[in-house]
């Protein structure tokens, strides 16, 4: 069975952009592929979280993954730092990653621009660690958004370079994977782009937040003054509300508001109220599951332990072969 790897950085709670852009695919993939889903806690060290924040964020994402339906019997769900083989392979792969190509990485340039006071070596070699996450399981497919395609290309480069250097055919060339041609992009509530944690509290609807918090945010989402002429295209912020409705509302509800918009008699208050209601229908069972999982230390411990064992079984086989290929041969 083809192997799939995907990770998410534990930087806080998951929002519905994460859910529809990533987790929804994982839920399907776990039945069709040999999946390794991980919580990228080593990656998150580049921004220097406090130990307490780091632990809480990892715990939250673990609970959220389980609560949304990732099945630890079907997939391998693990915490990156539980697999020391990843750090070992990262050391080896860094020897064949060159300064020029790392400096050219779009995400490195972006991070330097955003945080000029924290340009650490881990940030520079971030693409190597990302490649290692994939290569360590010798994966074939990586479900990613458009913004991540350059990282997959670098992963292929590093894998091929290793194969060439040692004249082996060891690492497969992983391919980006998506179920649909059009990648899902969930817009934020502030009308300025895709939903993201960095867009601030008001921009994102978090899976774990209470109904009142989510409803308030939706009711405050940006719209305009309303259509002045019939059958006009919608401005971005209004289209965003319709895009969010597409995720959780039924087609007839969307069509009703669409025709109200085209006829210039739409009431944005009603539109947002409907979105808030349907969002709550969607989120309520997930939130209940998250809260249950967060209180269930035994469940989290069991999930993390099983995941670590399965991930290490795969990674340690790769490392055994890599050490042999590199020439680390035991004298004892
Ligand atoms: P992040 O937390 O931004 O690193 O995102 C983790 C995963 O969620 C990645 O696979 C992203 O592509 C996906 N994701 C994050 N935000 C969105 C969004 N607004 N729309 C669709 N997918 C998203």
């Amino acid at each position: 069975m083809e192997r799939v790897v995907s990770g998410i950085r534990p930087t806080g709670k998951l929002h519905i952009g994460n859910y529809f852009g990533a987790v929804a695919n994982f839920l399907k993939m776990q039945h069709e592929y040999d999946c390794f889903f991980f919580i990228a806690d080593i990656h998150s060290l580049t921004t220097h979280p406090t130990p307490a924040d780091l632990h809480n964020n990892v715990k939250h994402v673990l609970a959220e993954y389980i609560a949304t339906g990732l099945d630890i019997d079907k997939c391998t769900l693990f915490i990156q730092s539980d697999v020391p083989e990843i750090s070992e392979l990262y050391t080896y792969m860094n020897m064949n990653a060159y300064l020029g190509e790392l400096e050219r990485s779009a995400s490195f340039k972006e991070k330097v621009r955003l945080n000029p006071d924290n340009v650490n070596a881990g940030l520079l070699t971030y693409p190597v660690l990302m490649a290692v996450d994939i290569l360590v399981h010798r994966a074939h497919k990586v479900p990613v958004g458009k913004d991540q395609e350059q990282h997959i290309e670098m992963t292929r480069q590093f894998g091929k370079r290793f194969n060439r250097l040692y004249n082996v055919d060891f690492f497969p060339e992983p391919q980006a994977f998506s179920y649909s041609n059009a990648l899902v992009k969930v817009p934020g509530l502030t009308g300025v782009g895709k939903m993201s944690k960095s867009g601030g509290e008001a921009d994102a609807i978090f899976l774990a937040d209470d109904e009142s918090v989510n409803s308030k945010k939706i009711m405050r989402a940006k719209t305009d003054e309303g259509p002045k002429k019939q059958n006009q295209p919608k401005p971005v912020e209004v289209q965003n509300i319709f895009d969010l409705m597409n995720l959780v509302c039924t087609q007839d509800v969307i069509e009703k508001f669409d025709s109200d918009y085209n006829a210039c008699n739409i009431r944005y208050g009603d539109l947002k109220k409907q979105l808030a209601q349907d969002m709550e229908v969607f989120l309520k069972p997930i939130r209940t599951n998250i809260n249950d999982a967060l209180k269930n230390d035994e469940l989290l411990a069991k999930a993390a332990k099983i995941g670590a064992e399965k991930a290490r079984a795969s990674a340690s086989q790769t490392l055994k072969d890599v050490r042999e290929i590199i020439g680390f041969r035991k004298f004892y």
Side-chain angles (χ1 to χ4, degrees), residues 86-192:
I86 292 173
S87 299
E88 186 182 342
L89 187 58
Y90 176 49
T91 306
Y92 304 154
M93 296 308 269
N94 268 326
M95 310 303 171
N96 303 318
Y98 294 97
L99 185 60
E101 64 188 340
L102 296 172
E103 280 176 336
R104 278 194 301 276
S105 141
S107 69
F108 177 67
K109 285 193 210 155
E110 173 73 359
K111 283 174 182 145
V112 170
R113 195 178 62 76
L114 293 175
N115 287 304
D117 298 333
N118 182 25
V119 185
N120 58 63
L123 215 52
L124 182 71
T125 57
Y126 205 89
V128 184
L129 186 54
M130 283 186 118
V132 165
D133 290 325
I134 298 164
L135 297 172
V136 82
H137 299 297
R138 300 172 75 193
H140 308 94
K141 286 191 157 59
V142 187
V144 286
K146 255 234 131 357
D147 51 330
Q148 295 293 325
E149 263 169 11
Q150 193 183 22
H151 282 136
I152 308 235
E153 183 51 36
M154 290 177 91
T155 304
R156 284 194 286 268
Q157 280 289 341
F158 297 143
K160 278 196 289 195
R161 199 174 287 159
F162 179 95
N163 288 350
R164 244 191 341 263
L165 181 64
Y166 296 107
N167 200 18
V168 289
D169 184 16
F170 185 67
F171 289 119
E173 284 188 40
Q175 303 299 327
F177 174 86
S178 166
Y179 276 109
S180 63
N181 286 334
L183 291 166
V184 177
K185 186 184 142 196
V186 178
L189 293 172
T190 49
V192 286

Side-chain angles (χ1 to χ4, degrees), residues 7-9 11 15 17-18 20-22 143-145 147 184-187 194-197:
I8 227 167
R9 272 184 322 138
T11 49
H15 54 68
N18 299 132
F20 289 101
V144 286
D147 51 330
V184 177
K185 186 184 142 196
V186 178
K194 73 169 201 170
M195 184 175 286
S196 76
K197 283 162 210 150

Side-chain angles (χ1 to χ4, degrees), residues 63-83:
E64 288 179 320
Y65 267 158
I66 296 168
T68 48
L70 285 189
D71 181 347
I72 58 169
D73 293 327
K74 293 256 173 342
C75 65
T76 300
L77 171 58
F78 68 100
I79 299 162
Q80 190 184 29
S81 63
D82 276 344
V83 182

Side-chain angles (χ1 to χ4, degrees), residues 6 10 24 27 33 42 58 67 90 118 140 157 170 198 200 243 260:
S6 189
L27 296 178
Y33 299 97
I42 304 179
V58 171
Y90 176 49
N118 182 25
H140 308 94
Q157 280 289 341
F170 185 67
S198 48
D243 287 352
D260 286 354

Side-chain angles (χ1 to χ4, degrees), residues 10 13 21 59 64 84 105 118 135 161 168 176 184 218 230 240 292 297 329 332:
K13 301 170 286 188
K59 181 176 174 181
E64 288 179 320
S105 141
N118 182 25
L135 297 172
R161 199 174 287 159
V168 289
V184 177
I218 292 172
Q230 296 199 341
N240 284 351
D292 288 349
D297 285 341
R329 292 172 193 151
Y332 56 90

